[in-house]
Amino acid sequence: YGGMAPQTGSTEKEAKPISDFPQHLTWEEIKIHNGRGQSQQQWLVIDRNVYDVSTFSKQHPGGSRVISHYAGQDATDAFVAFHNDKALVRKYLKSLLIGELAPDQPSFESNKKSLLEDFRELRCTVEKMGLLKPNYTFFFMIFLHLLVLDAASWLMIWYFGISLVPFLIQMGWFQHDLGHCSVFRKPKWNHLLQIIVINILKGLPASWWNHLHNQHHAKPNCFRKDPDLNMHPLLFSLGKTLSVEVSVGASGQC
């Protein structure tokens, strides 16, 4: 080995693995990898990058279903909405990257262009208004007055006897805001207080509620994908088209 200099220049470029170059993919190729049919692979698009989540979906912290709902589709806006620490999540995405959209391909499906443009404009307006910033005083007062109501319910039980109604109604909306990570900036504090409110005080599993509610917001009012619609079709099915779809039992594509 002595005295032999390492090869440089054009030879080094020729030795570069072909896998280091981005693979250009079309929407037609991506759409067939939706986890259904003969191909069980699941691909999705985030910021024009294509990721294979076939195996990762089973380890996804938010559950396999919520990420599988976007197989074969663009998931950019869902990714932004569901993840607070995007820099951390992108580290995990690196190992799932398989390519990117070809230069002649649009950033999202053509049939969703108008819908996504309106949604992104709405989100921009909401952010400018500061509606996504937590209001500590507001939620502290909610928690305080709910503690008072909880104490009052115990007094009612002591005086009037056992009743399940107060336990099912109280604190429902507060744990809903905690599940959305709206009370504190750090998700772990929201999850901790949610466990206290719904698990300890109410006797219901927070993980069960989060699993169903995440799917609801990932695919709201999509028949067979939105658990709220599946559990309460008469209450949550709004509009003529969706009502007819639910009544006949058809599986719409969302």
Side-chain angles (χ1 to χ4, degrees), residues 32-91:
I32 63 176
H33 294 84
N34 55 15
R36 299 190 295 271
Q38 293 181 349
S39 175
Q40 296 297 314
Q41 286 187 311
Q42 299 178 358
W43 294 3
L44 53 78
V45 179
I46 299 175
D47 290 329
R48 297 190 62 85
N49 290 322
V50 184
Y51 300 94
D52 185 349
V53 297
S54 307
T55 302
F56 174 75
S57 63
K58 301 179 180 63
Q59 305 166 351
H60 183 233
S64 61
R65 287 190 177 183
V66 69
I67 193 172
S68 297
H69 286 334
Y70 281 91
Q73 302 178 20
D74 177 72
T76 302
D77 293 277
F79 173 81
V80 172
F82 276 89
H83 302 97
N84 288 329
D85 193 347
K86 297 172 184 59
L88 174 63
V89 179
R90 289 187 188 279
K91 293 181 180 179

CSV table of all heavy atoms in Angstrom, one decimal, residues 32-91:
chain,number,residue,atom,x,y,z
A,32,ILE,N,-50.3,3.5,-7.5
A,32,ILE,CA,-50.6,2.1,-7.5
A,32,ILE,C,-50.0,1.4,-6.2
A,32,ILE,O,-50.3,0.3,-5.9
A,32,ILE,CB,-50.0,1.4,-8.7
A,32,ILE,CG1,-48.5,1.6,-8.8
A,32,ILE,CG2,-50.7,1.9,-10.0
A,32,ILE,CD1,-47.8,0.8,-10.0
A,33,HIS,N,-49.1,2.2,-5.5
A,33,HIS,CA,-48.6,1.7,-4.3
A,33,HIS,C,-49.4,2.2,-3.1
A,33,HIS,O,-48.9,3.0,-2.2
A,33,HIS,CB,-47.1,2.1,-4.1
A,33,HIS,CG,-46.2,1.5,-5.1
A,33,HIS,ND1,-46.0,2.0,-6.4
A,33,HIS,CD2,-45.4,0.3,-5.1
A,33,HIS,CE1,-45.2,1.2,-7.1
A,33,HIS,NE2,-44.8,0.2,-6.3
A,34,ASN,N,-50.6,1.8,-3.0
A,34,ASN,CA,-51.6,2.3,-2.0
A,34,ASN,C,-51.9,1.3,-1.0
A,34,ASN,O,-52.8,1.5,-0.2
A,34,ASN,CB,-52.9,2.8,-2.7
A,34,ASN,CG,-53.5,1.8,-3.6
A,34,ASN,OD1,-53.1,0.6,-3.5
A,34,ASN,ND2,-54.4,2.2,-4.4
A,35,GLY,N,-51.1,0.2,-1.0
A,35,GLY,CA,-51.3,-0.8,0.1
A,35,GLY,C,-52.5,-1.8,-0.3
A,35,GLY,O,-52.8,-2.7,0.5
A,36,ARG,N,-53.1,-1.6,-1.4
A,36,ARG,CA,-54.2,-2.5,-1.8
A,36,ARG,C,-53.9,-3.3,-3.0
A,36,ARG,O,-52.9,-2.9,-3.7
A,36,ARG,CB,-55.5,-1.7,-2.0
A,36,ARG,CG,-56.0,-0.9,-0.8
A,36,ARG,CD,-57.4,-0.3,-1.0
A,36,ARG,NE,-57.4,0.7,-2.1
A,36,ARG,CZ,-57.1,2.0,-1.9
A,36,ARG,NH1,-56.9,2.4,-0.7
A,36,ARG,NH2,-57.2,2.8,-2.9
A,37,GLY,N,-54.6,-4.3,-3.3
A,37,GLY,CA,-54.4,-5.1,-4.5
A,37,GLY,C,-53.2,-6.0,-4.3
A,37,GLY,O,-52.8,-6.4,-3.2
A,38,GLN,N,-52.6,-6.4,-5.5
A,38,GLN,CA,-51.4,-7.3,-5.4
A,38,GLN,C,-50.2,-6.6,-4.8
A,38,GLN,O,-49.5,-7.3,-4.0
A,38,GLN,CB,-51.1,-7.7,-6.9
A,38,GLN,CG,-52.1,-8.6,-7.5
A,38,GLN,CD,-51.7,-9.0,-8.9
A,38,GLN,OE1,-50.8,-8.5,-9.5
A,38,GLN,NE2,-52.5,-9.9,-9.5
A,39,SER,N,-50.0,-5.3,-5.0
A,39,SER,CA,-48.9,-4.6,-4.4
A,39,SER,C,-49.3,-4.1,-3.0
A,39,SER,O,-50.2,-3.3,-2.9
A,39,SER,CB,-48.5,-3.5,-5.2
A,39,SER,OG,-47.5,-2.7,-4.6
A,40,GLN,N,-48.7,-4.7,-2.0
A,40,GLN,CA,-49.0,-4.3,-0.6
A,40,GLN,C,-48.1,-3.1,-0.2
A,40,GLN,O,-48.2,-2.7,1.0
A,40,GLN,CB,-48.8,-5.5,0.3
A,40,GLN,CG,-49.8,-6.6,0.1
A,40,GLN,CD,-51.2,-6.2,0.3
A,40,GLN,OE1,-51.5,-5.6,1.3
A,40,GLN,NE2,-52.1,-6.6,-0.7
A,41,GLN,N,-47.3,-2.6,-1.1
A,41,GLN,CA,-46.4,-1.5,-0.7
A,41,GLN,C,-47.2,-0.2,-0.5
A,41,GLN,O,-48.2,0.0,-1.2
A,41,GLN,CB,-45.3,-1.3,-1.8
A,41,GLN,CG,-44.2,-2.4,-1.8
A,41,GLN,CD,-43.1,-2.1,-2.8
A,41,GLN,OE1,-43.3,-1.7,-3.9
A,41,GLN,NE2,-41.9,-2.1,-2.3
A,42,GLN,N,-46.6,0.6,0.4
A,42,GLN,CA,-47.3,1.9,0.6
A,42,GLN,C,-46.3,3.0,0.4
A,42,GLN,O,-45.3,3.2,1.2
A,42,GLN,CB,-47.8,1.9,2.1
A,42,GLN,CG,-48.9,0.9,2.4
A,42,GLN,CD,-49.3,0.9,3.8
A,42,GLN,OE1,-48.9,1.7,4.6
A,42,GLN,NE2,-50.3,0.0,4.1
A,43,TRP,N,-46.5,3.9,-0.6
A,43,TRP,CA,-45.7,5.0,-0.9
A,43,TRP,C,-46.5,6.3,-0.6
A,43,TRP,O,-47.8,6.3,-0.9
A,43,TRP,CB,-45.2,5.1,-2.3
A,43,TRP,CG,-44.3,4.0,-2.7
A,43,TRP,CD1,-43.9,2.9,-1.9
A,43,TRP,CD2,-43.7,3.8,-4.0
A,43,TRP,NE1,-43.0,2.1,-2.6
A,43,TRP,CE2,-42.9,2.6,-3.9
A,43,TRP,CE3,-43.7,4.5,-5.2
A,43,TRP,CZ2,-42.1,2.1,-5.0
A,43,TRP,CZ3,-43.0,4.0,-6.3
A,43,TRP,CH2,-42.2,2.8,-6.2
A,44,LEU,N,-45.9,7.3,-0.1
A,44,LEU,CA,-46.6,8.6,0.0
A,44,LEU,C,-45.6,9.7,-0.3
A,44,LEU,O,-44.4,9.5,-0.3
A,44,LEU,CB,-47.2,8.8,1.4
A,44,LEU,CG,-46.4,8.6,2.6
A,44,LEU,CD1,-45.5,9.8,2.9
A,44,LEU,CD2,-47.3,8.3,3.8
A,45,VAL,N,-46.1,10.9,-0.5
A,45,VAL,CA,-45.3,12.1,-1.0
A,45,VAL,C,-45.4,13.2,0.1
A,45,VAL,O,-46.5,13.5,0.6
A,45,VAL,CB,-45.8,12.6,-2.3
A,45,VAL,CG1,-45.0,13.8,-2.7
A,45,VAL,CG2,-45.7,11.5,-3.4
A,46,ILE,N,-44.2,13.7,0.5
A,46,ILE,CA,-44.1,14.8,1.4
A,46,ILE,C,-43.1,15.8,0.8
A,46,ILE,O,-41.9,15.5,0.6
A,46,ILE,CB,-43.6,14.4,2.8
A,46,ILE,CG1,-44.6,13.4,3.4
A,46,ILE,CG2,-43.5,15.7,3.7
A,46,ILE,CD1,-44.1,12.9,4.7
A,47,ASP,N,-43.6,17.0,0.4
A,47,ASP,CA,-42.8,18.1,-0.2
A,47,ASP,C,-42.0,17.5,-1.4
A,47,ASP,O,-40.8,17.7,-1.5
A,47,ASP,CB,-41.8,18.6,0.9
A,47,ASP,CG,-42.5,19.5,1.9
A,47,ASP,OD1,-43.5,20.1,1.6
A,47,ASP,OD2,-42.0,19.5,3.1
A,48,ARG,N,-42.7,16.8,-2.2
A,48,ARG,CA,-42.2,16.3,-3.5
A,48,ARG,C,-41.3,15.1,-3.3
A,48,ARG,O,-40.9,14.5,-4.3
A,48,ARG,CB,-41.5,17.4,-4.4
A,48,ARG,CG,-42.5,18.5,-4.8
A,48,ARG,CD,-41.8,19.4,-5.9
A,48,ARG,NE,-41.4,18.6,-7.1
A,48,ARG,CZ,-42.3,18.4,-8.1
A,48,ARG,NH1,-43.5,18.9,-8.0
A,48,ARG,NH2,-41.8,17.8,-9.2
A,49,ASN,N,-40.9,14.7,-2.1
A,49,ASN,CA,-40.1,13.5,-1.9
A,49,ASN,C,-41.0,12.3,-1.7
A,49,ASN,O,-42.1,12.4,-1.1
A,49,ASN,CB,-39.2,13.7,-0.6
A,49,ASN,CG,-38.1,14.7,-0.8
A,49,ASN,OD1,-37.5,14.8,-1.9
A,49,ASN,ND2,-37.9,15.5,0.2
A,50,VAL,N,-40.6,11.2,-2.2
A,50,VAL,CA,-41.4,10.0,-2.2
A,50,VAL,C,-40.8,9.0,-1.1
A,50,VAL,O,-39.6,8.8,-1.1
A,50,VAL,CB,-41.4,9.3,-3.5
A,50,VAL,CG1,-42.4,8.1,-3.5
A,50,VAL,CG2,-41.9,10.2,-4.6
A,51,TYR,N,-41.7,8.5,-0.2
A,51,TYR,CA,-41.2,7.7,0.9
A,51,TYR,C,-42.0,6.3,0.8
A,51,TYR,O,-43.2,6.3,0.6
A,51,TYR,CB,-41.4,8.4,2.2
A,51,TYR,CG,-40.7,9.7,2.4
A,51,TYR,CD1,-41.3,10.9,2.1
A,51,TYR,CD2,-39.4,9.7,2.8
A,51,TYR,CE1,-40.7,12.1,2.2
A,51,TYR,CE2,-38.7,10.9,3.0
A,51,TYR,CZ,-39.4,12.1,2.7
A,51,TYR,OH,-38.7,13.3,2.8
A,52,ASP,N,-41.2,5.3,1.1
A,52,ASP,CA,-41.8,4.0,1.3
A,52,ASP,C,-42.1,3.7,2.8
A,52,ASP,O,-41.1,3.5,3.5
A,52,ASP,CB,-40.9,2.9,0.7
A,52,ASP,CG,-41.5,1.5,0.7
A,52,ASP,OD1,-42.5,1.3,1.3
A,52,ASP,OD2,-40.9,0.6,0.0
A,53,VAL,N,-43.3,3.7,3.2
A,53,VAL,CA,-43.7,3.5,4.6
A,53,VAL,C,-44.3,2.1,4.8
A,53,VAL,O,-45.0,1.9,5.8
A,53,VAL,CB,-44.7,4.6,5.0
A,53,VAL,CG1,-44.0,6.0,4.9
A,53,VAL,CG2,-46.0,4.6,4.2
A,54,SER,N,-44.1,1.2,3.9
A,54,SER,CA,-44.7,-0.1,4.0
A,54,SER,C,-44.4,-0.8,5.3
A,54,SER,O,-45.3,-1.3,6.0
A,54,SER,CB,-44.2,-1.0,2.8
A,54,SER,OG,-44.4,-0.4,1.6
A,55,THR,N,-43.1,-0.8,5.7
A,55,THR,CA,-42.7,-1.4,7.0
A,55,THR,C,-42.9,-0.4,8.1
A,55,THR,O,-43.3,-0.8,9.2
A,55,THR,CB,-41.3,-1.9,6.9
A,55,THR,OG1,-41.1,-2.8,5.8
A,55,THR,CG2,-40.9,-2.6,8.2
A,56,PHE,N,-42.5,0.8,7.9
A,56,PHE,CA,-42.5,1.8,9.0
A,56,PHE,C,-44.0,2.1,9.5
A,56,PHE,O,-44.1,2.4,10.7
A,56,PHE,CB,-42.0,3.1,8.5
A,56,PHE,CG,-42.1,4.3,9.5
A,56,PHE,CD1,-41.2,4.3,10.6
A,56,PHE,CD2,-43.0,5.3,9.3
A,56,PHE,CE1,-41.3,5.4,11.5
A,56,PHE,CE2,-43.1,6.3,10.2
A,56,PHE,CZ,-42.3,6.4,11.3
A,57,SER,N,-45.0,1.9,8.7
A,57,SER,CA,-46.3,2.1,9.1
A,57,SER,C,-46.7,1.3,10.4
A,57,SER,O,-47.5,1.8,11.2
A,57,SER,CB,-47.3,1.8,8.0
A,57,SER,OG,-47.3,0.5,7.7
A,58,LYS,N,-46.1,0.1,10.5
A,58,LYS,CA,-46.4,-0.7,11.7
A,58,LYS,C,-45.8,-0.2,12.9
A,58,LYS,O,-46.1,-0.5,14.0
A,58,LYS,CB,-46.0,-2.2,11.4
A,58,LYS,CG,-46.6,-2.8,10.2
A,58,LYS,CD,-46.1,-4.2,10.0
A,58,LYS,CE,-46.8,-4.9,8.8
A,58,LYS,NZ,-46.5,-4.2,7.5
A,59,GLN,N,-44.7,0.7,12.8
A,59,GLN,CA,-44.0,1.3,13.9
A,59,GLN,C,-44.4,2.8,14.1
A,59,GLN,O,-43.8,3.4,15.0
A,59,GLN,CB,-42.5,1.1,13.7
A,59,GLN,CG,-42.1,-0.3,13.4
A,59,GLN,CD,-40.6,-0.4,12.9
A,59,GLN,OE1,-40.0,0.6,12.6
A,59,GLN,NE2,-40.1,-1.6,12.8
A,60,HIS,N,-45.2,3.3,13.3
A,60,HIS,CA,-45.6,4.7,13.3
A,60,HIS,C,-46.2,5.1,14.7
A,60,HIS,O,-47.2,4.4,15.1
A,60,HIS,CB,-46.5,5.0,12.2
A,60,HIS,CG,-46.9,6.5,12.1
A,60,HIS,ND1,-48.2,6.9,12.1
A,60,HIS,CD2,-46.1,7.6,12.1
A,60,HIS,CE1,-48.2,8.2,12.0
A,60,HIS,NE2,-47.0,8.7,12.0
A,61,PRO,N,-45.6,6.0,15.4
A,61,PRO,CA,-46.1,6.4,16.7
A,61,PRO,C,-47.6,6.8,16.7
A,61,PRO,O,-48.3,6.6,17.7
A,61,PRO,CB,-45.3,7.6,17.1
A,61,PRO,CG,-44.0,7.4,16.4
A,61,PRO,CD,-44.4,6.8,15.1
A,62,GLY,N,-48.1,7.3,15.6
A,62,GLY,CA,-49.5,7.7,15.6
A,62,GLY,C,-50.4,6.6,15.1
A,62,GLY,O,-51.6,6.8,15.0
A,63,GLY,N,-49.9,5.4,14.9
A,63,GLY,CA,-50.7,4.2,14.5
A,63,GLY,C,-50.5,4.0,13.1
A,63,GLY,O,-50.2,4.9,12.3
A,64,SER,N,-50.7,2.7,12.7
A,64,SER,CA,-50.5,2.3,11.3
A,64,SER,C,-51.6,2.8,10.3
A,64,SER,O,-51.3,3.2,9.2
A,64,SER,CB,-50.4,0.8,11.2
A,64,SER,OG,-51.7,0.2,11.6
A,65,ARG,N,-52.8,3.0,10.8
A,65,ARG,CA,-53.9,3.4,10.0
A,65,ARG,C,-53.8,4.8,9.5
A,65,ARG,O,-54.0,5.1,8.4
A,65,ARG,CB,-55.2,3.1,10.7
A,65,ARG,CG,-55.6,1.7,10.8
A,65,ARG,CD,-57.0,1.5,11.3
A,65,ARG,NE,-57.4,0.1,11.4
A,65,ARG,CZ,-58.7,-0.3,11.7
A,65,ARG,NH1,-59.6,0.6,12.0
A,65,ARG,NH2,-59.0,-1.6,11.7
A,66,VAL,N,-53.4,5.7,10.5
A,66,VAL,CA,-53.4,7.1,10.1
A,66,VAL,C,-52.4,7.5,9.0
A,66,VAL,O,-52.7,8.4,8.2
A,66,VAL,CB,-53.1,8.0,11.4
A,66,VAL,CG1,-51.7,7.8,11.9
A,66,VAL,CG2,-53.5,9.4,11.2
A,67,ILE,N,-51.3,6.7,9.0
A,67,ILE,CA,-50.3,7.0,7.9
A,67,ILE,C,-50.7,6.2,6.7
A,67,ILE,O,-50.4,6.6,5.5
A,67,ILE,CB,-48.9,6.6,8.4
A,67,ILE,CG1,-47.9,7.2,7.4
A,67,ILE,CG2,-48.7,5.2,8.6
A,67,ILE,CD1,-46.4,7.1,7.9
A,68,SER,N,-51.3,5.0,6.8
A,68,SER,CA,-51.7,4.2,5.7
A,68,SER,C,-52.8,4.9,4.9
A,68,SER,O,-53.0,4.6,3.7
A,68,SER,CB,-52.1,2.8,6.1
A,68,SER,OG,-51.0,2.1,6.8
A,69,HIS,N,-53.6,5.7,5.5
A,69,HIS,CA,-54.7,6.4,4.8
A,69,HIS,C,-54.2,7.3,3.7
A,69,HIS,O,-54.9,7.6,2.7
A,69,HIS,CB,-55.5,7.3,5.8
A,69,HIS,CG,-56.4,6.5,6.7
A,69,HIS,ND1,-56.9,5.3,6.4
A,69,HIS,CD2,-56.9,6.9,8.0
A,69,HIS,CE1,-57.7,4.9,7.4
A,69,HIS,NE2,-57.7,5.8,8.4
A,70,TYR,N,-52.9,7.6,3.7
A,70,TYR,CA,-52.3,8.5,2.7
A,70,TYR,C,-51.4,7.7,1.7
A,70,TYR,O,-50.7,8.3,0.9
A,70,TYR,CB,-51.5,9.6,3.3
A,70,TYR,CG,-52.4,10.7,3.8
A,70,TYR,CD1,-52.9,10.7,5.1
A,70,TYR,CD2,-52.8,11.8,3.0
A,70,TYR,CE1,-53.8,11.7,5.6
A,70,TYR,CE2,-53.6,12.8,3.4
A,70,TYR,CZ,-54.1,12.7,4.7
A,70,TYR,OH,-55.0,13.7,5.2
A,71,ALA,N,-51.5,6.4,1.8
A,71,ALA,CA,-50.7,5.6,0.8
A,71,ALA,C,-51.1,5.9,-0.6
A,71,ALA,O,-52.3,5.9,-0.9
A,71,ALA,CB,-50.8,4.1,1.1
A,72,GLY,N,-50.2,6.2,-1.5
A,72,GLY,CA,-50.5,6.5,-2.9
A,72,GLY,C,-50.9,7.9,-3.1
A,72,GLY,O,-51.4,8.3,-4.2
A,73,GLN,N,-50.8,8.8,-2.0
A,73,GLN,CA,-51.2,10.1,-2.1
A,73,GLN,C,-50.2,11.1,-1.6
A,73,GLN,O,-49.2,10.7,-1.1
A,73,GLN,CB,-52.5,10.3,-1.3
A,73,GLN,CG,-53.7,9.4,-1.6
A,73,GLN,CD,-54.9,9.6,-0.7
A,73,GLN,OE1,-55.0,10.7,-0.1
A,73,GLN,NE2,-55.7,8.7,-0.7
A,74,ASP,N,-50.5,12.4,-1.8
A,74,ASP,CA,-49.6,13.5,-1.2
A,74,ASP,C,-50.0,13.7,0.2
A,74,ASP,O,-51.2,13.8,0.5
A,74,ASP,CB,-49.8,14.8,-2.0
A,74,ASP,CG,-49.0,15.9,-1.3
A,74,ASP,OD1,-47.8,15.9,-1.4
A,74,ASP,OD2,-49.6,16.8,-0.7
A,75,ALA,N,-49.1,13.6,1.2
A,75,ALA,CA,-49.3,13.7,2.6
A,75,ALA,C,-48.7,15.0,3.2
A,75,ALA,O,-48.5,15.0,4.4
A,75,ALA,CB,-48.9,12.5,3.3
A,76,THR,N,-48.3,15.9,2.4
A,76,THR,CA,-47.6,17.1,2.9
A,76,THR,C,-48.3,17.8,3.9
A,76,THR,O,-47.8,18.1,5.0
A,76,THR,CB,-47.2,18.0,1.7
A,76,THR,OG1,-46.5,17.3,0.7
A,76,THR,CG2,-46.4,19.2,2.2
A,77,ASP,N,-49.6,18.2,3.7
A,77,ASP,CA,-50.4,19.0,4.6
A,77,ASP,C,-50.7,18.2,5.9
A,77,ASP,O,-50.7,18.8,7.0
A,77,ASP,CB,-51.6,19.5,3.9
A,77,ASP,CG,-51.3,20.5,2.8
A,77,ASP,OD1,-51.2,21.6,3.1
A,77,ASP,OD2,-51.3,20.0,1.7
A,78,ALA,N,-50.9,16.9,5.8
A,78,ALA,CA,-51.1,16.1,7.0
A,78,ALA,C,-49.9,16.0,7.8
A,78,ALA,O,-49.9,16.1,9.0
A,78,ALA,CB,-51.6,14.7,6.6
A,79,PHE,N,-48.7,15.9,7.1
A,79,PHE,CA,-47.4,15.9,7.8
A,79,PHE,C,-47.2,17.1,8.6
A,79,PHE,O,-46.8,17.1,9.8
A,79,PHE,CB,-46.3,15.7,6.8
A,79,PHE,CG,-44.9,15.8,7.4
A,79,PHE,CD1,-44.4,14.7,8.1
A,79,PHE,CD2,-44.2,16.9,7.3
A,79,PHE,CE1,-43.1,14.8,8.6
A,79,PHE,CE2,-42.9,17.0,7.9
A,79,PHE,CZ,-42.4,16.0,8.5
A,80,VAL,N,-47.5,18.3,8.0
A,80,VAL,CA,-47.3,19.6,8.7
A,80,VAL,C,-48.3,19.7,9.9
A,80,VAL,O,-47.9,20.2,11.0
A,80,VAL,CB,-47.5,20.7,7.7
A,80,VAL,CG1,-47.6,22.1,8.4
A,80,VAL,CG2,-46.5,20.7,6.6
A,81,ALA,N,-49.5,19.3,9.7
A,81,ALA,CA,-50.5,19.4,10.7
A,81,ALA,C,-50.3,18.5,11.9
A,81,ALA,O,-50.6,18.9,13.1
A,81,ALA,CB,-51.9,19.2,10.2
A,82,PHE,N,-49.7,17.3,11.7
A,82,PHE,CA,-49.6,16.3,12.8
A,82,PHE,C,-48.3,16.4,13.6
A,82,PHE,O,-48.2,15.8,14.6
A,82,PHE,CB,-49.8,14.9,12.2
A,82,PHE,CG,-51.3,14.5,12.1
A,82,PHE,CD1,-52.0,14.8,10.9
A,82,PHE,CD2,-51.9,13.9,13.1
A,82,PHE,CE1,-53.3,14.4,10.8
A,82,PHE,CE2,-53.3,13.5,13.0
A,82,PHE,CZ,-53.9,13.8,11.8
A,83,HIS,N,-47.3,17.0,13.0
A,83,HIS,CA,-46.0,17.0,13.7
A,83,HIS,C,-45.5,18.4,14.1
A,83,HIS,O,-45.4,19.3,13.2
A,83,HIS,CB,-44.9,16.4,12.7
A,83,HIS,CG,-45.3,15.0,12.3
A,83,HIS,ND1,-45.9,14.7,11.1
A,83,HIS,CD2,-45.1,13.8,12.9
A,83,HIS,CE1,-46.1,13.4,10.9
A,83,HIS,NE2,-45.7,12.8,12.0
A,84,ASN,N,-45.3,18.5,15.4
A,84,ASN,CA,-44.8,19.8,15.9
A,84,ASN,C,-43.3,20.0,15.6
A,84,ASN,O,-42.8,21.0,15.1
A,84,ASN,CB,-45.0,19.9,17.4
A,84,ASN,CG,-46.5,20.1,17.7
A,84,ASN,OD1,-47.2,20.8,16.9
A,84,ASN,ND2,-46.9,19.7,18.9
A,85,ASP,N,-42.5,19.0,16.0
A,85,ASP,CA,-41.0,19.0,15.8
A,85,ASP,C,-40.7,18.3,14.5
A,85,ASP,O,-40.3,17.2,14.4
A,85,ASP,CB,-40.3,18.3,16.9
A,85,ASP,CG,-38.8,18.5,17.0
A,85,ASP,OD1,-38.3,19.1,16.0
A,85,ASP,OD2,-38.2,18.2,18.0
A,86,LYS,N,-40.9,19.1,13.4
A,86,LYS,CA,-40.7,18.5,12.0
A,86,LYS,C,-39.2,18.2,11.8
A,86,LYS,O,-38.9,17.3,11.0
A,86,LYS,CB,-41.2,19.5,11.0
A,86,LYS,CG,-42.7,19.8,11.1
A,86,LYS,CD,-43.1,20.9,10.2
A,86,LYS,CE,-44.6,21.2,10.5
A,86,LYS,NZ,-44.9,21.6,11.9
A,87,ALA,N,-38.3,18.9,12.4
A,87,ALA,CA,-36.9,18.6,12.1
A,87,ALA,C,-36.5,17.2,12.7
A,87,ALA,O,-35.8,16.5,12.1
A,87,ALA,CB,-36.0,19.7,12.8
A,88,LEU,N,-37.1,16.9,13.8
A,88,LEU,CA,-36.8,15.6,14.4
A,88,LEU,C,-37.4,14.5,13.5
A,88,LEU,O,-36.8,13.4,13.3
A,88,LEU,CB,-37.4,15.5,15.8
A,88,LEU,CG,-37.4,14.1,16.5
A,88,LEU,CD1,-35.9,13.7,16.7
A,88,LEU,CD2,-38.1,14.2,17.8
A,89,VAL,N,-38.6,14.7,13.1
A,89,VAL,CA,-39.3,13.7,12.3
A,89,VAL,C,-38.6,13.4,10.9
A,89,VAL,O,-38.5,12.3,10.4
A,89,VAL,CB,-40.8,14.1,12.0
A,89,VAL,CG1,-41.5,13.0,11.2
A,89,VAL,CG2,-41.5,14.2,13.4
A,90,ARG,N,-38.1,14.5,10.4
A,90,ARG,CA,-37.4,14.4,9.1
A,90,ARG,C,-36.2,13.5,9.2
A,90,ARG,O,-35.7,12.9,8.1
A,90,ARG,CB,-37.1,15.8,8.5
A,90,ARG,CG,-38.3,16.6,8.1
A,90,ARG,CD,-37.9,17.9,7.4
A,90,ARG,NE,-39.0,18.7,7.1
A,90,ARG,CZ,-39.9,18.5,6.1
A,90,ARG,NH1,-39.7,17.6,5.2
A,90,ARG,NH2,-40.9,19.3,5.9
A,91,LYS,N,-35.6,13.4,10.3
A,91,LYS,CA,-34.4,12.5,10.5
A,91,LYS,C,-34.8,11.1,10.3
A,91,LYS,O,-34.1,10.3,9.7
A,91,LYS,CB,-33.8,12.7,11.9
A,91,LYS,CG,-33.2,14.0,12.2
A,91,LYS,CD,-32.6,14.1,13.6
A,91,LYS,CE,-32.0,15.5,13.8
A,91,LYS,NZ,-31.4,15.6,15.2
